[in-house]
Amino acid sequence: MFHLNKIEYTNAITGSCMLDGQSTHFMMDTGANKTVIDVKLLNDDQRKEIRHVPFTVILADGSRVPAMGLRKSLIKLGSHELEVDVLVTENLHEGCLLGIDFLARCPMTKDLIEQLRHVACESSVHEVNEVHTFLIKSTNTSQ
């Protein structure tokens, strides 16, 4: 399962990025350990590239969204382009949630993420963050 932190306040960091050459709306989600995209952003050929895995996305409010699988996507934010293994799901409120897997590698946000990690490790907030530690589990019971 991928646990995602759903941002519900007006100061969210949003904008436009390029996803596989197509402009899309994104929201930065420092609580998400994985970048997530909505399947409606993919064409038929790109949908064929989804590696089907039995994952469930669990939002911070506890709601569950089944994931279709994983695929490699090229994400461009500003002048920085990175290939990321994204989780594909349906009915995602935002077209793309940029998770830590992207933000920690992108030169524009890498230092900020490192500073946040450093502050979290040195403050009492660290205990609160441990409650929201993100788990990656397959929902496949045959494992």
Side-chain angles (χ1 to χ4, degrees):
M1 288 179 233
F2 290 99
H3 292 250
L4 301 175
N5 188 6
K6 187 175 178 184
I7 299 174
E8 296 183 343
Y9 53 87
T10 58
N11 293 329
I13 300 172
T14 62
S16 293
C17 67
M18 297 296 287
L19 177 75
D20 296 321
Q22 173 184 321
S23 180
T24 188
H25 186 262
F26 75 84
M27 179 186 307
M28 286 188 187
D29 190 346
T30 59
N33 60 341
K34 194 80 178 150
T35 295
V36 182
I37 64 169
D38 193 291
V39 69
K40 67 183 170 224
L41 298 176
L42 304 176
N43 64 37
D44 289 339
D45 288 336
Q46 292 169 323
R47 289 177 190 212
K48 292 176 186 173
E49 298 171 353
I50 298 172
R51 299 181 314 276
H52 297 279
V53 288
F55 286 118
T56 299
V57 177
I58 301 176
L59 301 175
D61 66 2
S63 61
R64 294 171 181 258
V65 179
M68 299 178 72
L70 296 165
R71 78 175 297 274
K72 296 262 186 228
S73 283
L74 190 62
I75 300 174
K76 183 176 181 181
L77 185 61
S79 61
H80 305 287
E81 211 170 39
L82 294 171
E83 186 176 65
V84 180
D85 212 17
V86 298
L87 188 62
V88 181
T89 190
E90 294 178 294
N91 303 317
L92 190 63
H93 179 66
E94 300 295 328
C96 177
L97 291 178
L98 294 178
I100 292 295
D101 59 332
F102 176 85
L103 299 173
R105 291 178 44 216
C106 181
M108 292 172 53
T109 54
K110 184 177 179 178
D111 290 340
L112 174 62
I113 297 301
E114 286 305 313
Q115 289 173 13
L116 289 171
R117 284 182 178 155
H118 180 74
V119 169
C121 289
E122 290 186 351
S123 70
S124 60
V125 175
H126 181 63
E127 293 176 22
V128 173
N129 287 341
E130 287 184 355
V131 174
H132 299 285
T133 297
F134 304 107
L135 305 174
I136 302 173
K137 284 186 180 176
S138 169
T139 55
N140 185 347
T141 56
S142 65
Q143 290 183 344

